[in-house]
Each structure stands twice: as C-alpha cells, then as structure tokens.
Amino acid sequence: MNSLRSRLLLVMALVFALGAGNVVIYLLDLDEDIRAHVLNEQVDTLLATVTPAPDGSNLGALPVQFSASDWRYTLYTRSAELIASAPEGATPLPFRSPEALPETTRAAITARLIGDDRVLVASRNDWEDCEELCQLFRERMAGSSVVIAILAAISLVSIIFLARWMLGSVRRAADLASTIGVAHPDRRIPLRELPEEIVPLAISANQALDRLSSAYEIERRFTADAAHELRTPLAVLDLRLQKARAEQSPDWSAIARDMNQMRHLIEQLLALARADQGGERRPHGPEARVGLARIVREAVADMLPAYEADLRTIDVAVAEGLVVEDAHRQLRQALRNLLDNAFRHGRGRVSVCLTSRDERTAILRVSDEGPAVSQDVGDVLFERFHKGVQNSPGSGLGLAIVRRILRNLGGDARIGVGPTFAIELIVPLAVTEADAVRA
C-alpha cells in the first residue's frame, strides 16, 4: 500500500461504501417510519368519528375491524388507572404515555391524550400489511442493488481515471527528474502542474539539485584549475630533474624553489576550493563571537617572521571592541593572503588598519608603498589566476580567495582609494544585544 494511487483508490472506495451503506440503512428503516405514519393517520381518522367518553362508556363504538386490521383500545387516566377496554373480553393494552417514543413490534401501538386527564391506547395487528410492505421493499432493494452495483462499477472506473489524471503530472515530473545528470545538470522538476501537496517536496528536491549542481561545478572548476596550473610547474620540475641526472652538481636550490612554488600553488587551490564551498562555519551565537582585533594580531604574528627576515615592516592600528561571528579561520586566512600578497608583490612598509564604518560593518585596510591602481583595473586583480605582473612568482589566486571568503561571510573585498596600493575588506560585524533591541 505504498503506492499513492492505491491509497487514493482505497480512500475513495471507502467513501463510496459508506455512502451506499447509509442509503441501505435508510431504506431498511423506512418501513418502520411508514408503519408509524399509517397508524397515526388511521387513529386520527377513528377519533374524528368517535370521541371516547371520560368513563369509557362509548369505547365499544370504535371499530374493531378497520383497514383490514384487528383493533384494540384501552382507556386510562393520566395516572395509569384502567377505565375501560374494547372489545369486550380482550386483554387490556399496557399503559403508554402519549409522550413516549414509538416501539417496533409486530402489533403497532400508539397512545393519544383524550381531554385533559384521559389516555387512549390503540393497537392494530398490521402483520399482513407489514409483510406486504416488506415484500415491496425487498423488491425495491433488489432493483436498488443492481443500480448500486452499476454505480459502484462506474465509480471505480472513474476513480481509476481520476487517480491517473491526478498523478499524471507527478509521473511526468519523475520522468524528467530521471534525465537529470551530468549531461543535463541544469534541468529541474517543473512545479506548475504538480498538486499543491507535492509542490513542497519538489521545491526541496530542486534546491537539493541546485546544491549538488553547485558542488559539481566547484569540483569541475577545481579539477580544471589544478590541471591547468600544475601542468607548467610539473613540466619545469621534470626538466630540472632530467637535467640533474645528467649533471654532476644538480641545482638543488632551483629544484627546491620549484617545489615550494608548486606546494604554494596546491595550497592556494585547496584554499580556493574550500572558499567556493562556503568554508567551515559553526552555528552563530554569543559564545561563538570573536574579537576582530585578535584575528588581525594573530594573522600579523603568523607573517611577521617572513617580514623580519626580509627587513620589512608591518604597522598595525586596530580599533578595539569590534566583534564578528565565528569566522576566525576564514578571516585569518584572508588577512594572511593579503599580507603574503603584499610581501611578495608589494613595496616598502605595509600598514594594517582596522576601523568601524558603521554599527554593522568594519573596514580592514592593508596597504603598502606600491603604486595605486584604479577601481576598474583593480577589480581584474581579483580574478582567478590573474597576476599584476605575469612573470612574477605566485599563483594568481590569493586575491580571488580573499574576495570569495569575504563574500561567503556577507562582506566584500575591493581596491582601496589612496596614493598607494591598498585593499579593503568590508567585514560584517556581529549583531549586539543593543542592536537586536533597536531592531
């Protein structure tokens, strides 16, 4: 019974069976209603011709044979005291209150109030009429059964076609979904013709397909980038190793330099892949918040040995009290990439400045003494594998990783305005309790 069609058929069949059962029960009870109605009509007719006296002296004037039935009468007081009974010698009928509900018996019986304090109980033996009535109903029921059977067959066929029509859109959607794959990753389940109850499931499936398609695209891009960027370093390293076999004194420093460059490229590719996938974010909460000044100091401390070895200087000016949600690793990696980019390609002194732009965002600016570039030209630097100087060392991925990380966090990275080269990170701040109250 896992099939939706089977369940629909079962429900509709049960509804039809209940309706047919109610009709049969009504027809079976209808004969008793007719008996009670006929009895009351006949008693009204008799009492219209003869009104029993209070002492029951004229009770015998009521007919004992009427409408092909045997009649009996008994007169009582309201307190159930017997006054008279007819015909003579007949056993008195049991007392019945005029307000009592009718009973189903072989002899129909009813009670009427006579005057203010007398109760006439009347009974007729309508067994023969009842037999005729039952025979009539049996004949009618036999004919009705045929009609009900025909209606049941028509309803069953209608239910089957209705279920097929209702589920046709679901079947077409399933057929289309079966074609979604590597060859057609952009196809989605159509929502227009689906029943309302199934639309949420289809929407969730489409969203899952979007996520899978995005993950597939990230993997495809990573594979293409890795194959493209590793081809040249591997070829150069292979040539150096071949040359080293033929020489007595291999150039180990050049080999080590190529290895370091390849290692750096692989690390950048992996970092970019993680950034494309959204990074590792934990649920937000007060306990997950981190001071932005702390992240800046840790990133600067990571790069400080390299700067000191090259006799370069890093100036740090940070505003305290700025807090971000748990994005410690991502922001630290982004700032390290900026400092590494300034170390490899920048000039002179490097400055790191953290300020608050407004209540919701902070500006983290990293600048060096190199020449400034315009905003339009600078945006090209954030493209993957683009280098300001094509023959310079590096992978051309550092700034692309930085922008991807910041956009994942709800911020952005841009070229800074000023007399020297600068990059600004727009960092979203954590919502404080005061901000939440104002909102």
Side-chain angles (χ1 to χ4, degrees):
M1 197 58 69
N2 290 332
S3 169
L4 184 58
R5 178 182 298 176
S6 300
R7 294 178 183 180
L8 286 173
L9 291 175
L10 178 61
V11 170
M12 294 180 181
L14 287 176
V15 171
F16 180 84
L18 290 174
N22 286 331
V23 172
V24 172
I25 293 173
Y26 171 76
L27 292 176
L28 291 176
D29 290 341
L30 188 60
D31 62 335
E32 296 296 335
D33 294 338
I34 294 176
R35 289 179 65 197
H37 177 74
V38 171
L39 174 62
N40 288 324
E41 290 291 332
Q42 291 177 346
V43 169
D44 290 338
T45 301
L46 293 175
L47 293 180
T49 57
V50 178
T51 301
D55 59 357
S57 57
N58 64 340
L59 197 60
L62 291 171
V64 295
Q65 288 287 331
F66 179 73
S67 185
S69 300
D70 297 329
W71 287 79
R72 296 162 57 192
Y73 313 95
T74 302
L75 188 65
Y76 288 95
T77 64
R78 288 295 298 264
S79 58
E81 295 180 0
L82 179 63
I83 298 176
S85 180
E88 295 183 3
T91 303
L93 296 173
F95 176 78
R96 285 176 56 89
S97 172
E99 294 81 12
L101 295 175
E103 298 177 358
T104 301
T105 59
R106 291 173 63 112
I109 185 171
T110 186
R112 292 297 179 86
L113 182 64
I114 306 298
D116 295 331
D117 60 350
R118 296 291 186 268
V119 176
L120 176 67
V121 180
S123 172
R124 66 185 283 257
N125 188 343
D126 62 345
W127 183 245
E128 293 183 359
D129 291 345
C130 183
E131 284 292 325
E132 294 178 1
L133 189 62
C134 291
Q135 180 62 30
L136 176 62
F137 271 99
R138 282 194 290 269
E139 293 175 357
R140 290 293 181 90
M141 284 294 295
S144 300
S145 299
V146 176
V147 175
I148 291 175
I150 295 174
L151 290 177
I154 295 175
S155 300
L156 180 61
V157 174
S158 301
I159 289 171
I160 293 174
F161 279 102
L162 179 62
R164 182 174 299 176
W165 173 74
M166 290 174 59
L167 299 178
S169 58
V170 179
R171 183 167 53 253
R172 289 190 295 272
D175 293 339
L176 186 143
S178 64
T179 65
I180 300 175
V182 177
H184 304 286
D186 56 334
R187 290 185 179 177
R188 295 295 180 266
I189 299 173
L191 306 178
R192 185 178 61 183
E193 298 180 355
L194 290 178
E196 293 182 358
E197 294 79 6
I198 301 179
V199 168
L201 177 61
I203 292 175
S204 299
N206 284 342
Q207 292 173 348
L209 290 171
D210 289 339
R211 292 191 294 270
L212 290 174
S213 178
S214 176
Y216 170 74
E217 178 61 23
I218 291 172
E219 181 180 356
R220 186 199 63 77
R221 186 188 302 170
F222 173 78
T223 303
D225 292 345
H228 177 267
E229 293 302 313
L230 290 175
R231 183 182 297 114
T232 300
L234 285 173
V236 172
L237 183 60
D238 182 61
L239 290 174
R240 290 193 187 278
L241 291 175
Q242 292 180 23
K243 185 178 179 181
R245 292 194 188 98
E247 294 179 350
Q248 295 296 328
S249 300
D251 189 356
W252 294 112
S253 60
I255 294 175
R257 186 169 57 252
D258 291 340
M259 288 295 297
N260 289 333
Q261 183 180 355
M262 190 180 303
R263 184 183 302 109
H264 178 72
L265 175 60
I266 293 174
E267 291 174 353
Q268 294 290 76
L269 285 170
L270 293 176
L272 183 60
R274 286 192 295 268
D276 282 337
Q277 294 172 357
E280 299 176 1
R281 301 295 304 276
R282 287 181 286 181
H284 292 179
E287 68 282 355
R289 294 173 180 173
V290 182
L292 191 52
R294 170 189 165 186
I295 297 174
V296 173
R297 293 189 181 99
E298 289 179 352
V300 171
D302 291 339
M303 294 298 299
L304 192 57
Y307 274 78
E308 290 179 344
D310 202 44
L311 302 178
R312 300 279 297 278
T313 303
I314 303 178
D315 293 333
V316 180
V318 294
E320 301 292 341
L322 302 179
V323 179
V324 295
E325 298 289 354
D326 182 22
H328 191 176
R329 293 184 180 179
Q330 294 93 321
L331 287 175
R332 185 172 174 178
Q333 180 183 2
L335 184 53
R336 285 183 59 181
N337 277 17
L338 287 184
L339 294 174
D340 182 70
N341 187 74
F343 177 77
R344 292 172 181 269
H345 310 293
R347 300 178 185 176
R349 183 184 299 269
V350 176
S351 298
V352 179
C353 180
L354 172 63
T355 58
S356 174
R357 185 173 71 171
D358 52 45
E359 295 179 350
R360 299 297 177 87
T361 55
I363 300 295
L364 180 57
R365 180 184 176 95
V366 178
S367 61
D368 58 56
E369 297 177 349
V373 296
S374 65
Q375 189 75 36
D376 296 337
V377 176
D379 278 342
V380 180
L381 299 178
F382 290 97
E383 295 180 0
R384 301 179 183 215
F385 303 110
H386 181 86
K387 300 179 184 180
V389 179
Q390 292 302 317
N391 295 328
S392 63
S395 61
L397 292 174
L399 295 183
I401 295 172
V402 171
R403 173 169 278 185
R404 182 71 269 167
I405 289 175
L406 267 296
R407 288 183 174 177
N408 287 343
L409 298 177
D412 204 351
R414 66 189 182 189
I415 297 297
V417 179
T420 61
F421 183 84
I423 294 178
E424 293 179 346
L425 304 184
I426 303 174
V427 184
L429 299 177
V431 179
T432 63
E433 295 183 0
D435 294 335
V437 171
R438 284 195 295 269

